[in-house]
């Protein structure tokens, strides 16, 4: 396991996952501005505890900016509304559209910081092993960990294939048609070459008692405390209260 | 119960992570680099569904989006995948069911009468979907791609016609493929992809509209803007966009898998739980 620099990192993965999931769901349930902004502030404060605040803000902006551009296009420019603020070319910018766009961007920022904080402070393997210790089937745990390992390998393979096809004269730049045509000579070899690994890997797993029934005994356990357990339940209760409040119309 | 567990042999379990990686790599490349209004982020899911069956397909789709959000480390991770996990699961399930029904079998050198009949049936399905499914959303009875909204800018009207022409070209290409390759399987794959796409569009539209304000950050957003400019409200605009993008996307995905199945060795395919059934070896 990599070193865990701060107390926030050392929290049990499930606690951090609960914070991330309920935070993003709450931003969505609360709606408006105040709820999502509070969650955004709380997540950045928590990130400051874990000394990843700048990374988190950068990550969240990188993830949200491309969407924000679309939000402006879809909501601010073309959403119908009564109060026309000003007109750009064929587009009427309405107060309702701008309001909707701003709410969407705030919500997206709250969602991306909640989940970003989790991924920045949690080792994926620790999370999956902790879940397995809590009763998630070992096969699902294997799938999750194997994916984490397969993605970078495959990204590298895709780059290699793209470069070798370009060396053979494939055009991957240019218009949409050119780019679409360039896709197939890369996608095909990429998928086929990774499928050839399946055979070897499954034989290797079979020889290592992968199909043995029953639970694995993990020598290593992620520390958890009763306080964290209480906090998780409290967070869940708070979220349920928020949903109930929204449904009843109190909030 | 044994019906479920028999679909999860070691080989399937090993295939799933690779399939998810294919989804993620392709999904990210297509969405962010190509900026075309399709996603292509379910090839891996469909592959598992075809080779191993509907339940593994469902699980692959579900896990793919959850892992994309929760487990992958930052540069590759996306917080916006998990809300669509249920759509991915549906794609896997439906693709698996189609494969079980033999929709992914190649049917080379089909005799001409059958081929023409198959072509006619596909044509009829396209017509029915076009008349009952598409046109009412895009026209108000008159044959304009967008409703006669005086505010609609010429750019979006042109975009609409461009997509219309693209759709017609795709349909023509399908018939050319059908009759040149003389493979009736093409028609089956097309129908399966179309239906899967329509179901996905209907499921994903509310999620996209409510959670994301109708945007995904890819080329599809231009379509949403176009439909909204044409006078639809956000929910309808997202559904209209989905009903164009998803059937095209899923049909392309299904074709990629269909071609892959024929490229892969029979030995490899047949070792998966549903492999023989999917490519029709068990009848031979």
């Amino acid at each position: 396991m990599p070193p865990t620099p701060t107390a926030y990192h050392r929290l049990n993965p499930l606690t951090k996952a609960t914070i991330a999931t309920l935070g993003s769901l709450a931003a969505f349930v609360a709606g408006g501005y105040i709820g999502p902004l509070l969650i955004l502030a709380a997540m950045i404060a928590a990130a400051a505890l874990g000394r990843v605040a700048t990374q988190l803000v950068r990550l969240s902006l990188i993830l949200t900016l491309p969407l924000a551009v679309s939000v402006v296009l879809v909501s601010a420019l073309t959403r119908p509304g009564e109060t026309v603020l000003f007109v750009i070319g064929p587009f009427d910018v309405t107060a309702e559209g701008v309001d909707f766009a701003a709410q969407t961007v705030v919500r997206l920022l709250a969602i991306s910081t909640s989940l970003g904080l989790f991924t920045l402070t949690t080792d994926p393997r620790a999370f999956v092993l902790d879940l397995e210790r809590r009763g998630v089937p070992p096969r699902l745990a294997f799938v999750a960990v194997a994916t984490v390992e397969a993605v970078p390998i495959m990204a590298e393979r895709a780059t290699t294939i793209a470069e070798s096809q370009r060396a053979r004269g494939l055009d991957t730049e240019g218009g949409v048609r050119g780019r679409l045509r360039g896709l197939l000579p890369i996608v095909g070899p990429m998928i086929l070459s990774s499928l050839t690994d399946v055979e070897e890997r499954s034989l290797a797993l079979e020889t290592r008692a992968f199909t043995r029934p029953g639970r694995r005994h993990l020598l290593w356990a992620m520390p958890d405390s009763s306080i964290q357990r209480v906090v998780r339940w409290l967070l869940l209760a708070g979220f349920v209260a928020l949903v109930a409040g929204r449904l009843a119309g109190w909030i | 119960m044994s019906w479920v567990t028999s679909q999860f042999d070691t080989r399937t379990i090993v295939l799933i992570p690779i399939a998810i990686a294919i989804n993620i790599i392709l999904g990210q490349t297509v969405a962010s680099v190509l900026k075309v209004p399709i996603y292509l982020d379910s090839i891996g899911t469909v592959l598992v569904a075809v080779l191993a069956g509907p339940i593994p397909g469902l699980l692959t789709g579900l896990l793919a989006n959850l892992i994309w959000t929760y487990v992958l480390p930052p540069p590759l991770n996306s917080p916006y995948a998990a809300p669509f996990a249920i759509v991915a699961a549906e794609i896997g399930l439906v693709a698996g069911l189609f494969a079980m029904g033999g929709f992914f079998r190649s049917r080379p050198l089909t005799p001409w009468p059958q081929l023409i009949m198959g072509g006619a049936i596909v044509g009829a399905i396209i017509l029915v979907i076009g008349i009952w499914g598409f046109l009412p959303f895009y026209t108000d009875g008159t044959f304009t791609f967008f409703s006669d909204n005086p505010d609609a800018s010429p750019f979006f009207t042109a975009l609409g016609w461009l997509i219309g022409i693209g759709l017609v070209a795709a349909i023509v290409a399908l018939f050319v493929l059908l009759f040149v390759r003389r493979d009736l399987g093409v028609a089956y794959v097309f129908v399966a992809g179309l239906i899967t796409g329509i179901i996905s569009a209907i499921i994903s539209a509310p999620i996209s509209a409510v959670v994301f304000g109708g945007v995904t950050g890819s080329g599809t957003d231009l379509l949403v803007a176009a439909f909204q400019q044409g006078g639809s409200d956000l929910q309808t605009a997202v559904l209209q966009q989905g009903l164009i993008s998803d059937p095209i996307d899923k049909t392309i995905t299904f074709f990629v898998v269909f071609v892959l199945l024929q490229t892969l060795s029979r030995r490899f395919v047949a070792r998966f739980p549903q492999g023989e059934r999917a490519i029709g070896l068990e009848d031979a």
Side-chain angles (χ1 to χ4, degrees):
Chain A
M1 289 296 129
T4 47
T6 70
Y8 196 84
H9 284 81
R10 279 193 295 275
L11 286 178
N12 186 276
L14 190 66
T15 310
K16 287 181 277 184
T18 312
I19 295 172
T21 310
L22 294 182
S24 45
L25 284 176
F28 164 65
V29 172
Y33 293 102
I34 301 166
L37 280 176
L38 278 178
I39 288 163
L40 184 61
M43 291 304 161
I44 291 174
L49 277 181
R51 293 203 212 100
V52 285
T54 41
Q55 275 168 281
L56 179 65
V57 171
R58 198 171 54 221
L59 179 72
S60 166
L61 286 179
I62 289 172
L63 285 166
T64 314
L65 275 184
L67 284 170
V69 172
S70 300
V71 168
V72 170
L73 179 72
V74 170
S75 305
L77 293 183
T78 58
R79 191 177 173 83
E82 296 293 309
T83 347
V84 177
L85 294 177
F86 50 91
V87 178
I88 311 174
F91 304 112
D92 297 339
V93 180
T94 62
E96 289 85 350
V98 171
D99 179 48
F100 186 84
Q103 284 192 26
T104 308
V105 170
V106 170
R107 182 168 61 234
L108 291 179
L109 281 174
I111 293 177
S112 60
T113 44
S114 301
L115 291 162
L117 175 65
F118 171 72
T119 46
L120 280 178
T121 56
T122 313
D123 177 45
R125 284 168 198 82
F127 178 46
V128 173
L129 284 178
D130 190 58
L131 285 182
E132 189 184 337
R133 202 172 55 81
R134 290 174 195 277
V136 167
R139 293 176 159 220
L140 292 191
F142 168 79
V143 168
V145 174
T147 307
V148 174
E149 268 149 34
V151 168
I153 293 173
M154 200 164 294
E156 200 178 312
R157 190 175 274 165
T159 322
T160 314
I161 292 170
E163 276 167 4
S164 31
Q165 296 288 38
R166 229 172 308 180
R168 297 184 186 108
L170 176 79
D171 183 17
T172 52
E173 320 277 309
V176 171
R177 255 187 71 202
R179 278 178 286 166
L180 267 184
R181 201 178 296 159
L183 201 61
L184 204 65
I186 295 170
V187 173
M190 194 186 96
I191 297 178
L192 287 176
S193 67
S194 43
L195 287 183
T196 50
D197 293 349
V198 170
E199 200 61 45
E200 272 178 51
R201 276 172 170 249
S202 49
L203 287 176
L205 283 171
E206 293 275 9
T207 56
R208 285 164 180 77
F210 182 70
T211 44
R212 189 188 75 86
R215 303 210 62 76
R216 289 203 296 164
H217 288 279
L218 298 173
L219 289 175
W220 169 89
M222 201 65 197
D224 196 5
S225 62
S226 45
I227 300 172
Q228 288 190 48
R229 203 168 304 133
V230 172
V231 168
R232 287 198 293 266
W233 283 108
L234 282 179
L235 283 172
L236 189 64
F239 176 70
V240 171
L242 176 71
V243 174
R246 283 289 286 179
L247 288 178
W250 299 325
I251 302 170
Chain B
M1 201 56 207
S2 65
W3 179 75
V4 176
T5 47
S6 73
Q7 301 185 58
F8 286 90
D9 61 339
T10 311
R11 212 165 257 107
T12 308
I13 295 283
V14 173
L15 179 66
I16 290 175
I18 290 173
I20 296 175
I22 292 173
N23 280 353
I24 291 171
I25 300 282
L26 281 183
Q28 224 156 42
T29 323
V30 172
S32 60
V33 181
L34 288 174
K35 291 276 180 201
V36 288
I38 49 173
Y39 326 97
L40 286 189
D41 57 357
S42 46
I43 291 182
T45 310
V46 174
L47 195 66
V48 175
V50 169
L51 289 176
I55 304 295
L58 182 145
L59 191 81
T60 307
L62 196 71
L63 280 179
N65 283 38
L66 291 180
I67 288 174
W68 203 339
T69 296
Y70 282 99
V71 185
L72 280 183
L76 292 158
N77 152 285
S78 162
Y80 307 129
F84 290 103
I86 185 163
V87 184
E90 169 267 323
I91 294 166
L93 177 72
V94 176
L97 289 175
F98 275 124
M100 200 183 248
F103 276 68
F104 282 85
R105 284 177 202 169
S106 174
R107 293 168 166 79
L109 298 179
T110 314
W112 281 104
Q114 272 187 40
L115 209 57
I116 290 166
M117 215 169 78
I121 291 171
V122 170
I125 290 175
I126 294 174
L127 266 180
V128 167
I129 291 175
I131 290 170
W132 298 100
F134 276 85
L135 292 184
F137 286 107
Y138 304 114
T139 64
D140 290 336
T142 55
F143 192 78
T144 50
F145 206 82
F146 296 114
S147 56
D148 288 318
N149 186 337
D151 299 334
S153 81
F155 168 70
F156 282 135
T157 315
L159 184 70
W161 279 107
L162 214 65
I163 291 160
I165 292 166
L167 279 177
V168 172
I171 292 167
V172 170
L174 168 82
F175 280 104
V176 170
L177 207 62
L178 188 61
F179 290 114
V180 170
R181 290 191 52 180
R182 290 185 60 190
D183 186 347
L184 194 60
V186 173
Y188 281 85
V189 173
F190 176 80
V191 171
L194 207 62
I195 293 173
T196 313
I198 291 171
I199 301 174
S200 327
I202 294 170
I203 301 178
S204 63
I207 302 174
S208 170
V210 174
V211 181
F212 297 97
V215 302
T216 53
S218 65
T220 52
D221 299 335
L222 211 55
L223 287 178
V224 178
F227 285 122
Q228 202 164 248
Q229 182 79 349
S232 310
D233 61 60
L234 182 65
Q235 290 271 359
T236 321
V238 173
L239 185 62
Q240 287 172 324
Q241 172 266 318
L243 283 176
I244 286 188
S245 302
D246 281 287
I248 298 177
D249 179 54
K250 268 67 207 182
T251 309
I252 294 176
T253 304
F254 277 34
F255 268 112
V256 170
V257 174
F258 177 67
V259 173
L260 273 175
L261 279 180
Q262 287 162 52
T263 324
L264 291 167
S265 74
R266 289 184 159 202
R267 192 178 66 111
F268 179 84
V269 172
R271 281 185 176 170
F272 286 95
Q274 196 178 267
E276 290 194 322
R277 192 175 179 134
I279 61 169
L281 280 179
E282 61 183 14
D283 308 335

